[in-house]
Amino acid sequence: MEMLLDGRYRLGDLIAEGAVGTVRRAVDTATGERVAVKLLRAGAAAQPALLRVFLREAEILAGLDHPGIVRLRDVVTGGGGYALVLDLLAGGDLRRRLRREGPFPPAAAADLAARLADALAYLHGLGLVHGDVKPGNLLLPGDGGRARLADFGSARRAADRDGDRPVHATPEYVAPEVVAGGPPTSAADVYAVGIVLFELMSGRTPFGGGATAEILHRHGRCVAVPPPGLPPAVWPIIEACLAADPADRPPARALAARLGGLGPALDGSPALPPVPP
């Protein structure tokens, strides 16, 4: 049976599914355009805390305008449910791309990370923190264009220190100070960029593997080492992002500039073989 949301959006195939919602392909019947719809489950919408998170994500996305961030088109509230209508990118997410094809060539990895850092610099300049930077939240257009940062369900204002906000970071990408109980900050987003860049180069994260508690423990107690064959110009940047002290990590804007300047040193370097777990 055809599902029409808010009398306008014809829902189609499932793209992703989570505990509180789903993301589906859809068609905007008013314009004929294909879109993505992030739909809150009815059970989640009935919980005030989860509904507040949804409305906060909608508010944050509505104020953003950057080519490296997924664009919000519409917000549906009540009636047929609660949903965010977003641009649809046909290429899937970076997590699936890594699993399917393995590590990126170093120049392409650095370029993607530079663009991610640039998007974060824009957010940080607005006083916002993404809070869950990872390959699964980077969407790739089918035409090979710029990746876009998505899923702002964990985003918050940097000045937000209220204790009722739970942290929903992904274990392999979470900064040690957040593991220790601190709130996500812009420095925690930069830490996650370092993890993502390591993964783009090697096919795995530096602290992954085993139970969640073991992964979280490694962020604060272990030191990452460069994967075999990593171009020497890259490691100092990853190491700076993964500094234990947040104050020692570069701001996202400076990180974007450093990564953007790596092109000549990395041109022609082949992708590394995947590092085994």
Side-chain angles (χ1 to χ4, degrees):
M1 183 176 69
E2 181 180 271
M3 299 173 63
L4 198 64
L5 176 68
D6 200 35
R8 175 172 178 174
Y9 301 104
R10 184 181 300 113
L11 301 181
D13 296 342
L14 184 70
I15 298 174
E17 189 169 16
V20 299
T22 60
V23 181
R24 291 184 175 276
R25 291 182 176 85
V27 174
D28 181 349
T29 59
T31 65
E33 293 179 293
R34 296 184 181 277
V35 296
V37 172
K38 183 176 181 179
L39 185 64
L40 194 64
R41 294 186 191 277
Q47 300 182 46
L50 295 178
L51 183 56
R52 280 198 301 272
V53 170
F54 168 85
L55 295 175
R56 185 181 286 114
E57 180 178 8
E59 178 191 2
I60 288 174
L61 277 170
L64 302 181
D65 183 14
H66 188 277
I69 295 173
V70 70
R71 180 167 63 104
L72 178 69
R73 290 168 169 254
D74 193 9
V75 181
V76 176
T77 57
Y82 290 86
L84 305 178
V85 182
L86 307 156
D87 282 346
L88 177 66
L89 278 73
D93 62 55
L94 182 58
R95 161 70 62 224
R96 295 179 184 179
R97 160 64 173 78
L98 279 166
R99 287 178 175 171
R100 185 175 67 248
E101 300 182 30
F104 278 53
D111 179 68
L112 194 156
R115 292 172 182 271
L116 169 58
D118 179 69
L120 289 171
Y122 167 78
L123 285 179
H124 299 165
L126 296 176
L128 298 169
V129 175
H130 185 273
D132 195 18
V133 176
K134 60 183 180 181
N137 286 340
L138 281 166
L139 304 181
L140 304 172
D143 61 4
R146 182 171 185 158
R148 294 198 213 172
L149 185 61
D151 196 345
F152 282 72
S154 296
R156 63 176 68 201
R157 305 196 179 279
D160 182 3
R161 293 293 185 269
D162 54 332
D164 67 339
R165 293 273 336 255
V167 174
H168 298 293
T170 303
E172 291 182 63
Y173 306 89
V174 62
E177 67 272 14
V178 179
V179 175
T185 64
S186 58
D189 280 348
V190 167
Y191 182 91
V193 176
I195 300 285
V196 170
L197 180 55
F198 186 106
E199 187 173 10
L200 286 169
M201 294 282 189
S202 68
R204 69 166 178 84
T205 60
F207 302 123
T212 296
E214 295 174 331
I215 297 171
L216 294 175
H217 175 83
R218 292 185 194 119
H219 286 285
R221 298 299 181 91
C222 298
V223 176
V225 296
L230 185 76
V234 177
W235 184 245
I237 298 178
I238 294 178
E239 198 170 31
C241 292
L242 301 186
D245 186 342
D248 292 336
R249 299 174 201 150
R253 181 67 65 198
L255 175 60
R258 288 183 67 182
L259 288 166
L262 284 180
L266 302 180
D267 278 346
S269 298
L272 277 63
V275 176

